[in-house]
Amino acid sequence: MPNYHDELDAVIRALADPTRRAVVERLAKSPAVVSELAAPFDMTLPSLMQHLGILEDAGVVTSEKRGRVRTVSLRPGALDALQLWLGEQRTPAERQADRLGIHLIRHT
Amino acid sequence: MPNYHDELDAVIRALADPTRRAVVERLAKSPAVVSELAAPFDMTLPSLMQHLGILEDAGVVTSEKRGRVRTVSLRPGALDALQLWLGEQRTPAERQADRLGIHLIRHT
């Protein structure tokens, strides 16, 4: 199993491309077959498959092939490492604001 | 002012490098002068300045020069666009778990 920093690195690199982010946005709604994912993009199927390969290697998506149809899903928890890292980079002033927010959720 | 997607793109690209992430981690604790930021890295000052330039162009950090000393700070809210985007990419199952979490904060 890759460590936290390797996982984070792979996830950020995978997301540092607008096509791959658009694929993630689509998959957050529901799993999709490859032809559906390809439809909105003006790119060849091999190019899209390459983007999907990068997302899958980074653990952001998983895919399953049944017969000739490959279905791609967002991997649950795939973006947790990045969310956790971002949470750790809050400045002292931001952390204070976060605590106020939790206080308001608890008491309103 | 750049739009949400351009800002997101610049921030993710800026964070897609382990040296720049290490700089962000250091600055989350407190602002620092350039020589302090350079100390942990085995790189020339011009290379570090290039990384700082990418972080500053992306709006992740700001810097201020007084005399010969440049102080670098994490920009408050710098990572909010990325955190917001990640929040939007939660699958239906994850959203349900999030609601349960908020319920538990409210009622425990």
Side-chain angles (χ1 to χ4, degrees):
Chain A
M1 191 172 168
N3 73 37
Y4 170 72
H5 274 99
D6 290 347
E7 189 185 327
L8 182 66
D9 199 62
V11 168
I12 296 185
R13 285 172 193 272
L15 296 179
D17 175 278
T19 299
R20 294 196 291 268
R21 285 200 299 279
V23 167
V24 169
E25 288 170 2
R26 167 63 191 81
L27 293 176
K29 296 185 180 71
S30 68
V33 301
V34 169
S35 58
E36 266 181 273
L37 288 175
F41 302 109
D42 184 24
M43 63 170 60
T44 62
L45 202 60
S47 298
L48 181 75
M49 292 305 291
Q50 205 174 355
H51 283 304
L52 291 177
I54 291 169
L55 286 168
E56 192 156 14
D57 288 348
V60 175
V61 308
T62 55
S63 73
E64 195 186 11
K65 199 167 182 180
R66 290 202 179 186
R68 296 190 55 185
V69 177
R70 182 174 290 279
T71 303
V72 186
S73 311
L74 204 58
R75 194 173 64 79
L79 306 175
D80 287 359
L82 180 51
Q83 264 188 321
L84 191 69
W85 185 83
L86 288 172
E88 287 167 358
Q89 309 324 315
R90 314 279 293 159
T91 60
E94 287 173 322
R95 285 175 192 278
Q96 200 173 351
D98 294 342
R99 282 193 298 272
L100 177 65
I102 289 171
H103 178 85
L104 290 175
I105 288 176
R106 276 185 194 274
H107 299 279
T108 53
Chain B
M1 191 172 168
N3 73 38
Y4 170 71
H5 273 100
D6 290 346
E7 189 185 327
L8 183 67
D9 199 61
V11 169
I12 295 185
R13 284 172 193 274
L15 297 179
D17 175 278
T19 298
R20 293 195 291 268
R21 285 200 299 280
V23 167
V24 169
E25 288 170 2
R26 167 62 191 81
L27 294 176
K29 295 184 182 72
S30 70
V33 301
V34 170
S35 57
E36 267 181 273
L37 287 175
F41 301 110
D42 184 23
M43 61 171 60
T44 63
L45 202 61
S47 298
L48 182 75
M49 293 305 291
Q50 205 174 355
H51 283 305
L52 291 176
I54 291 170
L55 287 167
E56 190 154 16
D57 289 347
V60 175
V61 307
T62 55
S63 73
E64 197 187 9
K65 199 168 181 178
R66 292 204 177 183
R68 296 188 59 183
V69 177
R70 181 173 291 279
T71 302
V72 187
S73 311
L74 204 58
R75 193 173 65 81
L79 306 175
D80 288 359
L82 179 52
Q83 265 189 320
L84 192 68
W85 185 83
L86 288 172
E88 286 167 359
Q89 310 324 315
R90 313 279 294 162
T91 61
E94 287 173 323
R95 285 174 192 278
Q96 200 171 352
D98 293 343
R99 283 193 298 272
L100 176 64
I102 289 171
H103 177 85
L104 290 175
I105 288 176
R106 276 187 193 273
H107 300 280
T108 53

